[in-house]
Amino acid sequence: MTDVALMERVVWPRCKSALSTNTRRLAEINKLVEARLKDLSVEQKVAQLIQAELASVEPEDIRRFGLGSILNGGGVSPNANKRASIEDWWNLANEFQTAARESEAGIPIFWGTDAVHGHNNVFSATIFPHNIALGAANDSDLVERLGAATARDVLDTGIDWVFAPTLAVPCDYRWGRTYEGYSQEPEIVARLGSAMLCGLQGDPASTEFFDENHVVATSKHFVGEGSTLDGIDQGDALCSEIDLLNIHALGHIAALKAGAQVVMAAFNSWNNEKVHGSWYLLQEVLKDQMGFDGFVVSDWDGFAQLDGDPETACIRSINAGVDMLMVSSDWRGVYERVLNAARIGEIDDVRLNDAVGRILRVKALRGMLTPNWRLPSTRSKQTLGSNSKRELAREAIRKSLVMLKNSNGLLPLETKKRIVVVGKSARDIAQQCGGWTLTWQGTNNETDDFPDAVSIESGIRGVISAGGGVVSFIDEVDDETDADTAIVVFGEEPYAEGEGDLNHLSFSQDDSLPLAQMKALNARGIPVVALFLTGRPRWINPELNASDAFVVCWLPGTQGGAIADVLFKDSANTVRYDFTGRLAFSWPLDSSLTCIDRDSNQPDSYLPVGYGLTYEEKVSFEQLSETDVSMGTSLRGPSFQGSYNYPNP
Ligand code: BGC
Ligand code: BGC
């Protein structure tokens, strides 16, 4: 194993944003922060460093302790009600802010939430495609508009802070968070990630930055999470410092330049040292060399994973440069331990004041430290779930679809035909949305959890009925099945971090039914269009061979009707939308491969980044090898080695 201390050090770039050139505003902000800091007791200072999870904290606790922040974790909502209304969110946010105002220090509280593809914890919000789809669309203007729309929805619930964008550069597709990354190409991650950040926060060069239409965003997770050995979530990123900089930090560099004020520390280790305990990465690299002047928030109990005495892990993490601790449940215990450490000087005044000052500075930039800071209840109501959001979602989906194969120009389809839609995935909104949707893993969701959502099937029905054709739906092909064309919809079931890790990429190893359906259709002479819902490239050579046309739909979210917009011509027989999506990850055509092909030294083993057909191109697609060498092989140990329910120290 590489010894970090012995590795050659690289020089990290200084990342200035337009924010730092507004010296007058900054001087005012710093004055405000200094003044507040001076008046705070050590108890009040330590309280600012704590972020408690909604399920374990009441407004009363905020009134009493004056904590700096709360979050709602994945799937956590007001009154533990998945269908909590916007008013429920709004009222609760108001209660928390009122309590913060009434606490001794009176400092407004930051509420953070994972709005990673729209405001995804909130019933009735429009769910946008996951980042992997946006990477395929590769349109920064679109991504910025998605960020702005998400910010509006988040503000509608009285929340000011979002844990997005994810700037991971996933390298091993077995990783269950691959879909949270835009691309394997650091440049694409940097460009789209900073566009998302600007959409969420506003342009730092303008007055819209952090105004009442924008939220505070998070550059996450710093750094190296996409490079863990075997794609194991929270594992060890074994890479050189130069790769850490040039590949894995590129998104963060762009985000800092675009005005990121919060960075979330990554769960993973870098060469055997947990980032949450790395003074080198957090203090020397991020704060000193890169010049980051916002605050670092830990990931979910991330500090608790440091080696050594669990009692002091939170203290060591703060001393390594983490400013705010995200605590799953035992926030009182963590508060007591940090307070004690501050009293006895285990956390010295310089570090304590630096951490609190950073948090207050972001609050001040957000306008929270001025007397005219408004409670959520006095802000104007916006447009959660509006038509314009749904239209935006449809645009994003249309642009993200990637056509891998189109033999004999089967697509686009005419609407005056008999179409059979095959497979329950065609009706499964939860599957369309994937992880981080209403629940943490995206599991246990039903179709009626998504009012106003459109399934892929109903989108197809819409265009066909307008065009005079006929649609039928079947779960499985049988002797009666008859149609001009079959559309088989299939793919991965929802998953998120940890649970979504795999030890092979072969899709049919996990679910052989879609392939069997395609073969049955082949035998009946019915042409097959395959639509694949997935959060990552999978090895699908058999399915590619068994279909005439193949489209990767990624995890499109609630507006699945957009897919029919592209697949079908209009009733006058003209193409409405051509495909523009391109692979932002190389796609393995060899079942033994699980990682990206950055150097393209095996060109025949992958469909390369940039691949994607249009209706203009008539490309013949050769039969692919169906030898599945991954069958039965476990390329590594148990698929999930993270520690989600990590005992509190
Ligand atoms: C929470 C998530 C969190 C995860 C980490 C879940 O119970 O809902 O937000 O990321 O735990 O352990
Ligand atoms: C995830 C973060 C997320 C946090 C809060 C963690 O488990 O790694 O991405 O923001 O939980 O839900």
Side-chain angles (χ1 to χ4, degrees), residues 53 71-76 114 234 267 299-300 326 436 440 497 643-645:
E53 210 283 327
L71 83 148
N72 65 297
V76 180
D114 291 291
Q234 309 190 358
F267 272 132
D299 204 339
W300 182 275
M326 184 192 291
W436 296 106
W440 175 38
E497 43 177 347
S643 42
Y644 282 99
N645 297 312

Side-chain angles (χ1 to χ4, degrees), residues 584-597:
F585 286 91
S586 42
W587 193 290
L589 298 177
D590 175 326
S591 62
S592 69
L593 300 171
T594 55
C595 305
I596 66 164
D597 177 25

Side-chain angles (χ1 to χ4, degrees), residues 589 597 599-608:
L589 298 177
D597 177 25
D599 307 319
S600 272
N601 48 16
Q602 291 174 286
D604 296 337
S605 308
Y606 294 88
L607 295 173

Side-chain angles (χ1 to χ4, degrees), residues 596-644:
I596 66 164
D597 177 25
R598 204 174 289 290
D599 307 319
S600 272
N601 48 16
Q602 291 174 286
D604 296 337
S605 308
Y606 294 88
L607 295 173
V609 168
Y611 180 89
L613 304 177
T614 66
Y615 288 144
E616 301 292 304
E617 293 159 301
K618 305 272 176 267
V619 180
S620 64
F621 203 94
E622 314 222 322
Q623 276 301 101
L624 298 161
S625 156
E626 299 199 5
T627 312
D628 185 353
V629 298
S630 72
M631 186 69 84
T633 44
S634 176
L635 297 168
R636 58 196 172 117
S639 71
F640 173 43
Q641 303 180 340
S643 42
Y644 282 99

Side-chain angles (χ1 to χ4, degrees), residues 318-445:
I318 287 179
N319 280 333
V322 169
D323 301 301
M324 183 183 276
L325 300 170
M326 184 192 291
V327 190
S328 67
S329 54
D330 180 30
W331 59 266
R332 281 167 214 263
V334 173
Y335 170 76
E336 290 299 335
R337 282 189 284 280
V338 176
L339 180 58
N340 185 49
R343 282 186 177 137
I344 63 176
E346 271 177 21
I347 296 173
D348 65 26
D349 284 353
V350 176
R351 177 76 267 268
L352 182 63
N353 287 335
D354 174 52
V356 183
R358 285 168 178 274
I359 293 164
L360 291 185
R361 194 172 167 282
V362 182
K363 288 188 174 179
L365 278 168
R366 176 82 184 134
M368 290 172 139
L369 298 191
T370 44
N372 53 2
W373 166 253
R374 296 199 297 187
L375 289 177
S377 62
T378 64
R379 300 181 197 163
S380 60
K381 272 268 181 196
Q382 319 246 339
T383 55
L384 200 137
S386 69
N387 274 332
S388 64
K389 301 266 165 57
R390 288 192 278 270
E391 263 320 302
L392 180 58
R394 288 177 79 105
E395 177 189 345
I397 296 168
R398 287 194 295 262
K399 290 180 168 169
S400 70
L401 304 174
V402 181
M403 182 158 67
L404 299 187
K405 176 178 182 181
N406 192 19
S407 293
N408 308 317
L410 176 60
L411 294 176
L413 298 170
E414 289 174 18
T415 46
K416 257 199 199 65
K417 293 279 170 166
R418 292 172 311 139
I419 302 288
V420 61
V421 176
V422 184
K424 66 159 204 49
S425 307
R427 308 186 143 172
D428 191 340
I429 306 284
Q431 190 179 5
Q432 271 174 219
C433 291
W436 296 106
T437 309
L438 293 180
T439 63
W440 175 38
Q441 295 286 327
T443 46
N444 301 318
N445 290 327

